[in-house]
Amino acid sequence: MSLLDFSESTLGWLKLPWDAVVVHYGEVGLKGGNRRWFVRTLRRNLQCALASYEATVQDHFDRLLFVPPPDRLGEVLTAAAQVFGVAYAMPIRFLPREVEALSDAAVQTYCAIATGGESFAVRVRRADKTFPLTSRDLERLIGQRVVDSTGAPVNLNSPDILLAFRLYDDRVYLIGPKVAGVGGLPLGVTGKVLALLSGGIDSPVAAWLAMRRGCWTDFLHFHAFLSADEVYESKIVKLVEALVKPQGVKARLFLVPYHPFQLTLLTTKVPPSLELVLFRRFMVKVAERLANEHGYQGLVTGDNLGQVASQTLANLTALDDAIKLPILRPLLCYDKQEIVALAQRIGTYDLSIQPYKDCCSIIARHPETRAQRSAVQAAEVSLPMERIVEEALSELTVWVIGAPTVGGR
C-alpha cells in the first residue's frame, strides 16, 4: 500500500496530531510458550524495517508501539503494515484516564474530520477493568458530549466517523484508522530456505509467501548470460529488492550460469522431450549443494500444478526424486489470476512482465508432460550430471541485495 491508496477520509485522519503508532499482531499472539520469542523477532524486524525513520519499537505485551516523525506518519504506517507478522497498524493519541479529557478529544476529532453532518459512534475497550466506569458508561458520556457540542447524529451500526478509545492501566489511547497488515509470521521464525527465482510472475510470489510464513529466504537464479554482471541491471535484482526491502533485511542472490548444461546437451544424446525435466533436475541439484553448504532447510519454487507442461504431477514427482531436500511449492493450488492478483498486490507484477531471457524458455518447446521416473533416470545416466553441477558452481557469483553495497554477507 502507498499513500495514494489511503481513502480521502483516512488522509483526513492522518492530518491530526498523533503521538505514536501502535502495531497489533494476530497469529503471533497464539503461539503459547513460544509467543515471547515470536514477538521479540517481530519487534526486531519492525525496528529494521523502520530504521530510516529512527523509530524505536517498544514492546507493551499485547502490542508494539513507536513514535514516528510527525510529518511522515502515512509513510510509517505503510511501512509497518508491510512487515510480516503485523495484523494492522494505527496512529494513536495519548490521553489521561479522565472522562473530561476523553470527551474533549472526541469533540476535537469529530470537528476536525467532519465536513457536514456526518454521523458518529463511540467505542471504548477497557484493557484495565478496574476503571470505575464500564465501557458502555464511557461511550454514553462521551457520545452525549459530542452531540451537545456539535449536534452530530449518532449511528451505532454504521457510523461515518468512529471515535475509538482503548483504556489501559496508565493512560487511554484515542485510535486512528487501521491500516491492514500483511499478517503471517515474523521473518526468520520458521527456518531458512533457498528460493529459485526465474524472473517470471510465479516465483517471486512463491518466495513472498514463504517469507510470510516466517522463512528467512535467499535466492538462486540461473542466467543465460556470458557474465553474471549482465544480470545486475536486470529485473532479477529489482525483484529481490522488492521482496526484501520492505522487511529491512539483506538477502543473498546466488547466480549460476546455464551454459554448462546447455553445452553438455549439444554433445549428448537425450530425448528432446526430456530436456526440460533434466534441466530442472540440474537446477535443484545445484540448489541442494548450495543448501547443504549454507544451511538452508528447504527449497522454494513457483511450481503450480498443471499450469504448464513441466508442472504436471508426474513431472513434479520426477523433480522431487532428484534430491533429498524438501521442495516447498506455496503456489501449488493457486489459479493464475490469483497469482497475478497477489503479484500486483506485493509489487512484483510490473517487474515480472518485463522482457528477460529466461533459461527455461530456451529449452525444448514440446516437453514431456508425463515423464516416467525410469525414463528420466535412464536419460540422466547419459549426462555427466555431477560434472555439470561442479562446473556451474565453479562460476557461481553471490551478491547481497538490500545492503548499501554489493558483496559478501
Side-chain angles (χ1 to χ4, degrees):
M1 174 184 286
S2 69
L3 292 179
L4 297 177
D5 297 319
F6 289 135
S7 66
E8 286 297 322
S9 61
T10 299
L11 287 171
W13 280 90
L14 296 183
K15 294 175 183 177
L16 296 174
W18 300 103
D19 295 313
V21 168
V22 68
V23 168
H24 284 264
Y25 39 83
E27 187 176 354
V28 170
L30 305 176
K31 294 303 177 183
N34 291 321
R35 171 179 168 163
R36 298 315 305 163
W37 174 57
F38 277 70
V39 173
R40 283 196 303 270
T41 304
L42 176 57
R43 177 174 175 267
R44 180 199 66 201
N45 294 351
L46 272 168
Q47 192 74 61
C48 291
L50 301 174
S52 63
Y53 302 101
E54 299 181 354
T56 300
V57 181
Q58 306 166 25
D59 183 359
H60 288 253
F61 180 67
D62 63 342
R63 61 203 184 278
L64 299 170
L65 185 146
F66 58 90
V67 178
D71 59 339
R72 305 180 72 183
L73 177 63
E75 295 176 48
V76 174
L77 283 168
T78 300
Q82 294 182 73
V83 175
F84 297 120
V86 172
Y88 57 90
M90 53 193 181
I92 57 172
R93 180 178 168 190
F94 298 136
L95 300 170
R97 290 159 46 98
E98 301 169 0
V99 175
E100 189 67 21
L102 305 189
S103 300
D104 287 345
V107 172
Q108 293 165 7
T109 301
Y110 178 85
C111 291
I113 298 298
T115 58
E118 287 90 343
S119 64
F120 81 99
V122 177
R123 297 282 188 271
V124 178
R125 289 180 57 187
R126 295 183 308 153
D128 175 19
K129 303 298 184 183
T130 66
F131 193 79
L133 296 175
T134 68
S135 297
R136 294 292 174 266
D137 290 338
L138 287 168
E139 289 170 357
R140 284 193 293 269
L141 290 170
I142 298 168
Q144 188 61 56
R145 172 69 181 280
V146 174
V147 171
D148 293 343
S149 300
T150 67
V154 176
N155 185 335
L156 297 180
N157 296 319
S158 183
D160 298 315
I161 296 175
L162 179 64
L163 303 170
F165 299 85
R166 288 191 184 178
L167 192 150
Y168 294 97
D169 58 359
D170 59 340
R171 54 191 169 188
V172 179
Y173 294 173
L174 168 64
I175 297 171
K178 290 183 180 180
V179 177
V182 292
L185 298 175
L187 193 65
V189 298
T190 55
K192 291 175 58 179
V193 297
L194 184 61
L196 277 67
L197 188 68
S198 69
I201 296 172
D202 297 352
S203 58
V205 177
W208 186 88
L209 287 170
M211 294 168 71
R212 186 173 179 265
R213 293 311 300 164
C215 292
W216 186 277
T217 304
D218 286 328
F219 302 86
L220 169 60
H221 175 67
F222 291 84
H223 66 87
F225 299 109
L226 294 177
S227 168
D229 291 340
E230 296 183 63
V231 181
Y232 192 66
E233 298 300 327
S234 75
K235 66 179 180 180
I236 300 302
V237 172
K238 295 181 178 67
L239 281 168
V240 176
E241 288 176 341
L243 292 168
V244 302
K245 280 192 171 182
Q247 309 306 316
V249 300
K250 307 173 186 178
R252 284 174 174 167
L253 173 58
F254 296 92
L255 297 164
V256 174
Y258 153 75
H259 65 77
F261 182 85
Q262 183 183 35
L263 294 175
T264 304
L265 278 185
L266 297 176
T267 59
T268 308
K269 291 184 178 180
V270 299
S273 62
L274 294 179
E275 287 180 0
L276 183 54
V277 174
L278 293 171
F279 175 56
R280 300 198 73 213
R281 284 171 67 93
F282 157 72
M283 289 196 294
V284 297
K285 286 177 181 291
V286 170
E288 184 178 48
R289 287 279 294 275
L290 292 171
N292 291 337
E293 181 178 347
H294 296 281
Y296 300 108
Q297 298 158 285
L299 307 182
V300 175
T301 72
D303 290 326
N304 175 258
L305 189 61
Q307 180 173 258
V308 295
S310 64
Q311 296 176 2
T312 63
L313 192 56
N315 287 357
L316 295 180
T317 302
L319 192 61
D320 289 332
D321 183 58
I323 60 173
K324 296 180 180 179
L325 207 64
I327 301 176
L328 309 180
R329 299 180 172 97
L331 297 178
L332 196 67
C333 297
Y334 281 55
D335 68 37
K336 192 63 179 184
Q337 286 306 117
E338 290 173 326
I339 299 171
V340 167
L342 191 47
Q344 291 170 331
R345 173 188 165 197
I346 67 178
T348 59
Y349 178 77
D350 289 339
L351 291 169
S352 292
I353 62 175
Q354 292 178 8
Y356 185 74
K357 191 176 183 180
D358 189 335
C359 292
C360 290
S361 66
I362 54 181
I363 301 290
R365 294 183 179 179
H366 303 289
E368 177 63 60
T369 58
R370 294 179 176 82
Q372 298 297 313
R373 181 178 300 179
S374 58
V376 172
Q377 291 173 341
E380 192 171 291
V381 169
S382 64
L383 291 173
M385 189 64 83
E386 288 304 312
R387 179 179 64 76
I388 303 173
V389 170
E390 289 286 351
E391 185 178 345
L393 286 172
S394 71
E395 300 183 46
L396 172 69
T397 300
V398 186
W399 292 334
V400 171
I401 309 299
T405 58
V406 175
R409 174 180 287 173

